[in-house]
Amino acid sequence: MTDTSPATREFEGLTIPAPGTYQLDAAHKVVGFSARHMMVAKVRGTFTEATATITVAEDPLESAVTATIQAASISTGQNDRDNHLRSGDFLETEKYPTLEFASTGVKSHSGNEFVLAGDLTIKGVTRSVDLKVEFEGVGRSPYGFDIFGFSASTEIDREDFGLTWNVALETGGVMVGKKVKIEIEGEAIRQ
């Protein structure tokens, strides 16, 4: 008889994954973002190619994450806009092919919500950010893999990373807002 229960443990009332190394499941992830456009609406997009390694520590609050996003995989559904975002005006993907994140520690937690501090590198510039992470649950896939789910979000000022291109509008304001919201949904698989 095959054991169908995932390798888990209890932590402050939560059922969490057993210690180990987990990889972001490419088939079950969304790395998205949104930014203001023309001062009246939001443009949304995704990065279709991203990898992450999550090391769940014996002490869950010492767990760590590293992630790499392929900058050229940016997609907003509009080829001209995507090509502009890949250009030197924004991500300059030929010179800076990846965006990187490396956690530096868990700042706080309450229930299934955690604040994960880390260093985000975009276009060769590294800044500290706080990811608000919601632990979604743990289970075992029909294929026998231990998995867990999570959601994460943060907001950055794109100009802090050297992404300063803009156009002033005749009606006031600018074409592209400074604030960018980053939202991640994913499942991780035990290795």
Side-chain angles (χ1 to χ4, degrees), residues 12-167:
E12 297 185 6
L14 287 177
T15 301
I16 65 169
T21 302
Y22 297 76
Q23 296 289 326
L24 183 63
D25 182 355
H28 297 97
K29 60 122 178 77
V30 175
V31 179
F33 64 90
S34 62
R36 301 283 295 169
H37 180 252
M38 304 278 293
M39 307 298 294
V40 298
K42 291 180 184 171
V43 168
R44 296 184 182 279
T46 60
F47 290 94
T48 59
E49 296 177 32
T51 59
T53 300
I54 304 159
T55 304
V56 177
E58 192 65 44
D59 176 350
L61 300 180
E62 293 180 5
S63 298
V65 177
T66 58
T68 300
I69 298 168
Q70 298 302 315
S73 75
I74 195 167
S75 175
T76 64
Q78 297 290 323
N79 283 336
D80 289 343
R81 179 173 44 226
D82 294 347
N83 288 332
H84 189 204
L85 291 170
R86 291 181 188 110
S87 77
D89 285 344
F90 288 97
L91 294 172
E92 199 171 353
T93 60
E94 288 190 21
K95 185 174 181 182
Y96 303 101
T98 62
L99 292 76
E100 305 281 338
F101 177 80
S103 66
T104 56
V106 176
K107 287 178 77 170
S108 64
H109 75 285
S110 176
N112 69 329
E113 296 178 355
F114 297 79
V115 176
L116 183 64
D119 293 330
L120 178 63
T121 302
I122 301 174
K123 202 172 176 179
V125 177
T126 302
R127 298 280 185 258
S128 295
V129 299
D130 288 343
L131 278 179
K132 295 175 185 167
V133 180
E134 185 174 350
F135 175 72
E136 302 284 1
V138 62
R140 178 158 286 167
S141 77
Y143 309 105
F145 298 113
D146 289 341
I147 61 172
F148 70 88
F150 65 92
S151 302
S153 65
T154 192
E155 186 173 88
I156 62 169
D157 182 329
R158 67 184 178 86
E159 292 184 354
D160 290 346
F161 294 89
L163 305 172
T164 59
W165 182 91
N166 227 328
V167 172

